[in-house]
């Protein structure tokens, strides 16, 4: 009879441990998971009262997270003070019976809490040698003592619970670090953006005629890159390149930049130094975006190889360079310069069409005009190109029938 009873208890414990393992690995949040686990444990040992704690290393406390069977208890006030010397007195994942409590400092110092909880068994959870949490079990129904077999089962439970709580803490820490990294990245972006905007303002301030030129070039480049389906980070990169593409002009003499007549050969050579100077400045900065320095260096190159500073041809130029070259030239056409008045919008469109395949890349030109056509037809909510043109014109942009007809639905010119 005793053997049959022992076998039944063993089978029940195995089934309960299986249920506990299933709960411990479920996708429930930690509080729900621990509550379900606590109910399984109390059911295994016919214990009406129990409390589950998690170790807070920063505070040196075991904090109550779930409890069962206590009607008049203030959960907020249930914390067990646990110091390093206390932890050393625990047997790892071994239950401590009430009879041992008077001999151990930890139990003496927390005797008021243990009295409230009517603790008969205290079971610490350890993972990789660190205290993770603990469970307090009250008196069994009928007052029977905890048998040695039950204490052995509790050791297995302690291992399962330790792993569950340890994993939960690990995930929380990873989530905290991920959130902190996101915050740091946003701060870094803000600092970068503020610095870059300040640089762009300084560049444009050198020449009153080109006020906001860098911002418009960046906006045009972004609009074209998005139309081409670029990834978000690459779009950010070309925006930064657009803002900084003329940074080398800071070194060029102001009288040359503002000269209101045809430049001499020497002055022209001086002006044409600015892409190289820009490259020299930006190549020393470690940007979070790729190829900012090269985009800036080559924004005056032409697809026919007649640009500067390196006279590169179409196949040697990246898509980003081709975008920036068109955006920069188009804004120059549609704004006043010291040596000439701005072109009308219609004249600028015709000039771009004329230079397609020589100065400007055929594909980029088609995409550019396709985007303008869609903006004119109201198919684009955020009008990146027409918005700036209308600001310059102080009136809605109008184009001739000829220019409009050249822009078919696919952007063909």
């Amino acid at each position: 009879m005793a053997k049959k009873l022992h076998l039944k208890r063993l089978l029940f414990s195995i089934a309960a441990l299986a249920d506990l393992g299933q709960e411990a690995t479920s996708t429930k949040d930690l509080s729900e998971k621990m509550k379900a686990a606590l109910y399984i444990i109390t059911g295994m040992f016919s214990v009406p009262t129990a409390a589950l704690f998690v170790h807070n290393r920063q505070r040196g406390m075991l904090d109550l997270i779930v409890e069962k069977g206590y009607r008049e208890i203030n959960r907020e006030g249930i914390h067990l003070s646990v110091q390093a010397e206390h932890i050393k007195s625990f047997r790892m994942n071994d239950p401590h019976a009430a009879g041992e409590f008077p001999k151990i400092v930890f139990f003496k110092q927390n005797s008021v809490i243990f009295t409230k909880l009517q603790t008969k068994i205290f079971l610490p959870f350890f993972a990789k040698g660190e205290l993770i949490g603990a469970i307090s079990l009250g008196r069994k129904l009928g007052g029977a003592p905890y048998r040695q077999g039950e204490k052995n089962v509790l050791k297995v439970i302690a291992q399962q619970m330790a792993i569950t709580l340890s994993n939960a803490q690990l995930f929380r820490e990873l989530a905290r670090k991920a959130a902190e990294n996101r915050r740091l990245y946003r701060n870094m972006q803000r600092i970068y953006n503020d610095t870059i905007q300040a640089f762009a303002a300084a560049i444009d301030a050198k020449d009153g005629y080109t006020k906001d030129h860098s911002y418009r070039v960046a906006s045009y480049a972004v609009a074209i890159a998005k139309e081409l389906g670029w990834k978000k980070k690459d779009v950010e990169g070309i925006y930064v390149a657009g803002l900084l593409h003329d940074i080398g002009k800071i070194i060029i003499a102001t009288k040359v930049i503002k000269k209101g007549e045809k430049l001499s050969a020497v002055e022209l050579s001086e002006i044409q130094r600015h892409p190289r100077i820009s490259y020299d400045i930006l190549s020393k900065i470690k940007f979070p975006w790729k190829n900012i320095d090269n985009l800036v260096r080559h924004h005056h190159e032409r697809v026919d190889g007649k640009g500067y500073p390196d006279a590169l041809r179409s196949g040697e130029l990246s898509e980003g360079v081709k975008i920036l070259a068109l955006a920069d030239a188009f804004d120059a056409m549609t704004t006043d310069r010291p040596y000439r008045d701005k072109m009308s919008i219609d004249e600028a469109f015709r000039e771009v069409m004329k230079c397609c395949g020589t100065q400007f890349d055929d594909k980029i030109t088609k995409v550019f005009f396709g985007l303008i056509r869609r903006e004119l037809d109201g198919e684009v909510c955020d009008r990146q190109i027409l918005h700036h043109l209308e600001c310059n014109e102080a009136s809605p942009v109008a184009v001739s029938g000829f220019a409009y007809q050249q822009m078919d639905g696919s952007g063909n010119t």
Side-chain angles (χ1 to χ4, degrees), residues 113-184:
I113 300 296
F114 286 119
T115 300
K116 281 184 182 180
L117 299 177
Q118 303 166 15
T119 305
K120 296 297 178 185
I121 288 285
F122 178 80
L123 179 65
F125 308 146
F126 283 84
K128 296 180 180 177
E130 288 192 8
L131 181 65
I132 301 297
I135 190 170
S136 162
L137 296 175
R139 178 175 172 271
K140 291 174 66 176
L141 287 173
Y146 286 86
R147 296 181 299 275
Q148 184 57 48
E150 291 173 324
K151 290 179 182 179
N152 292 337
V153 172
L154 282 170
K155 290 182 183 181
V156 178
I157 288 171
Q159 292 170 355
Q160 282 190 331
M161 297 300 287
I163 292 168
T164 303
L165 285 172
S166 178
N167 287 342
Q169 286 182 350
L170 177 62
F171 285 129
R172 275 201 305 271
E173 181 62 17
L174 288 173
R176 186 192 67 76
K177 285 183 178 177
E180 176 67 10
N181 286 340
R182 284 194 297 272
R183 187 186 68 79
L184 291 172

Side-chain angles (χ1 to χ4, degrees), residues 272-337:
Q272 291 183 345
R273 287 176 58 225
H274 81 269
R276 288 182 186 273
I277 298 168
S278 298
Y279 174 82
D280 290 341
I281 294 169
L282 299 179
S283 62
K284 294 175 176 64
I285 300 172
K286 191 171 182 180
F287 289 102
W289 308 280
K290 294 184 293 185
N291 299 324
I292 301 295
D293 52 353
N294 284 306
L295 287 171
V296 167
R297 179 186 179 98
H298 297 132
H299 74 276
H300 278 296
E301 300 287 357
R302 295 166 50 115
V303 295
D304 61 5
K306 295 180 180 179
Y308 62 91
D310 300 315
L312 301 179
R313 289 185 170 275
S314 178
E316 300 170 288
L317 302 174
S318 70
E319 192 170 69
V321 166
K322 293 170 182 177
I323 291 172
L324 210 54
L326 176 56
D328 180 48
F330 182 74
D331 187 67
M333 293 175 199
T334 53
T335 52
D336 289 324
R337 292 298 165 104

Side-chain angles (χ1 to χ4, degrees), residues 30 37 43 46 51 57 82 104 146 152 165 168 173 175 183 215 247 252 269-270 272 347 354 383:
L30 183 63
S46 301
R57 283 194 289 272
V82 56
I104 301 174
Y146 286 86
N152 292 337
L165 285 172
E173 181 62 17
R183 187 186 68 79
Y215 175 67
I247 194 171
I252 307 299
S269 176
E270 177 72 2
Q272 291 183 345
E347 286 172 332
K354 186 177 79 173
R383 306 197 318 169

Side-chain angles (χ1 to χ4, degrees), residues 233-264:
K233 189 157 187 179
D234 294 330
V235 171
E236 288 176 0
I238 202 165
Y239 178 74
V240 171
L243 289 176
L244 298 179
H245 75 282
D246 276 342
I247 194 171
K249 285 185 177 178
I250 288 177
I251 309 297
I252 307 299
T254 304
K255 66 179 182 179
V256 175
I257 292 175
K258 291 186 174 183
K259 188 173 181 181
E261 56 195 69
K262 188 175 180 180
L263 297 173
S264 68

